Amino acid sequence: MTTALAVSLLAGPALADIKLSGYGRTGLVYYEDDGRDPDANETQISSRVRLDVNASVEAEGLTFGANFRVQWDQGDAGVETISPGQLYVTADGFTAYVGNVIPAFDGAALLKQSRLGVFERSWGGDPQGRFFLGADKGYGDYSDRIGLALKYTTGGLTVRASYVDPDQTGHQESGPGYAEETALALHYKLSDSLEFSAATAQNGAGFKGNDLYFVGARYSLTRAARVGLNFIDNGTQLPRSAGTVGSPGNTVTLYGDYKIGKTTLGGYVAHNSGDWARKQTNASFGVGASYDLGRPFLAASLQRDYDDRLYADMGVRFDF
């Protein structure tokens, strides 16, 4: 019976292409205590295992596909680890997505390029405001969330557009955080040395009037050295970790990296004009390094956030 089933599956007119990919990473994280919990351990071990599952099939010049993610993070006991699914169809440079889409602002090129270390964080250069993200795990409070997205690529130009409805049933339309987010992103490679990116999210993260804007550029000085400059209008909504009182302001980030053999050095300096309860400084910085071992790599970083707290990490990551 098993043999007959296998033969019947393989005998169809179009065979599915199923791919597995992902990564594992682990390391030490130090985050300076801000006095709220003097008994908390400032240094901890952090680990992640991620598995991406993608299945696709071709028919009549179109590629139909679906994917989802399984992810475990240290401390996830009892937490949902499987992401909502995404379906897509691709043809002639166009891709349409439905479900757990990557919203255009979240997927904007260069937006998060200042990230450092094995855990890929940028405490100063990342957006300080709220917008919808592609869900690595569940939707949380937005169980009826739905997303639609389009991507078009031609030559050096990539255009992204997205629409995310936090509750397509309409039961929560009047509640805070339940407006529809629309987003648009453009990325253009003028040459092998120069690229530009811009994006906006309207009603970011479902909050009416929370409009975010981003423009950035990166230039390759040599084959080994790159420098970039980003400007972000962070909208009106602070991230959950910063509380609800205050403004995320605007952020300007200068960043760069330099490759020496198998070692890549990186860093950034950032200025933020916002104001929130724990914020102590308008300046943030970070430096980091990584060493390529082939598929695995070692990485470390040292950063200071806008709360004037030091962050450091070191560890290993391997992709598969």
Side-chain angles (χ1 to χ4, degrees), residues 214-297:
F214 158 72
V215 290
R218 183 169 65 178
Y219 180 69
S220 297
L221 301 170
T222 67
R223 296 184 64 179
R226 301 181 298 183
V227 63
L229 182 65
N230 287 351
F231 169 81
I232 305 172
D233 179 340
N234 292 294
T236 62
Q237 294 291 318
L238 288 163
R240 291 187 179 93
S241 60
T244 59
V245 179
S247 166
N250 300 328
T251 302
V252 178
T253 306
L254 177 67
Y255 65 91
D257 56 68
Y258 183 72
K259 190 172 184 179
I260 310 171
K262 295 184 177 182
T263 301
T264 300
L265 306 176
Y268 73 84
V269 290
H271 180 276
N272 176 270
S273 63
D275 181 28
W276 56 87
R278 298 206 307 270
K279 188 181 182 189
Q280 301 295 320
T281 176
N282 290 334
S284 175
F285 64 83
V287 292
S290 64
Y291 183 77
D292 188 1
L293 296 172
R295 297 300 288 270
F297 66 87

Side-chain angles (χ1 to χ4, degrees), residues 140-157:
D141 296 334
Y142 302 113
S143 59
D144 292 311
R145 168 176 156 177
I146 187 66
L148 303 172
L150 289 172
K151 184 175 75 171
Y152 175 67
T153 301
T154 178
L157 176 66

Side-chain angles (χ1 to χ4, degrees), residues 2-159:
T2 303
T3 303
L5 177 60
V7 170
S8 66
L9 291 174
L10 293 174
L15 299 180
D17 182 14
I18 301 176
K19 296 180 180 179
L20 302 178
S21 61
Y23 67 80
R25 71 183 186 194
T26 187
L28 292 175
V29 174
Y30 168 82
Y31 200 13
E32 188 176 15
D33 180 61
D34 61 357
R36 291 184 301 165
D37 187 358
D39 295 326
N41 293 328
E42 293 181 318
T43 302
Q44 299 183 28
I45 296 174
S46 181
S47 303
R48 169 179 290 176
V49 178
R50 172 181 290 181
L51 177 65
D52 292 309
V53 183
N54 184 83
S56 62
V57 64
E58 295 186 7
E60 302 298 331
L62 302 174
T63 299
F64 295 87
N67 58 65
F68 67 93
R69 171 172 292 168
V70 181
Q71 180 169 304
W72 169 85
D73 289 289
Q74 185 68 43
D76 263 357
V79 177
E80 188 173 4
T81 58
I82 299 178
S83 76
Q86 177 193 96
L87 297 97
Y88 63 89
V89 58
T90 298
D92 297 327
F94 283 95
T95 305
Y97 305 88
V98 63
N100 181 25
V101 305
I102 298 177
F105 194 86
D106 181 32
L110 305 183
L111 177 67
K112 304 168 187 176
Q113 199 60 47
S114 63
R115 291 183 171 183
L116 301 168
V118 71
F119 300 106
E120 298 175 305
R121 292 170 179 162
S122 177
W123 291 104
D126 271 0
Q128 302 298 310
R130 293 181 65 176
F131 51 95
F132 280 124
L133 312 174
D136 290 332
K137 301 175 185 177
Y139 283 144
D141 296 334
Y142 302 113
S143 59
D144 292 311
R145 168 176 156 177
I146 187 66
L148 303 172
L150 289 172
K151 184 175 75 171
Y152 175 67
T153 301
T154 178
L157 176 66
T158 299
V159 181

Side-chain angles (χ1 to χ4, degrees), residues 186-219:
L186 306 173
H187 177 229
Y188 183 62
K189 294 195 71 172
L190 186 63
S191 65
D192 291 338
S193 300
L194 184 61
E195 56 186 313
F196 298 93
S197 182
T200 182
Q202 304 293 299
N203 298 328
F207 292 90
K208 291 183 178 179
N210 179 38
D211 302 334
L212 298 92
Y213 300 91
F214 158 72
V215 290
R218 183 169 65 178
Y219 180 69

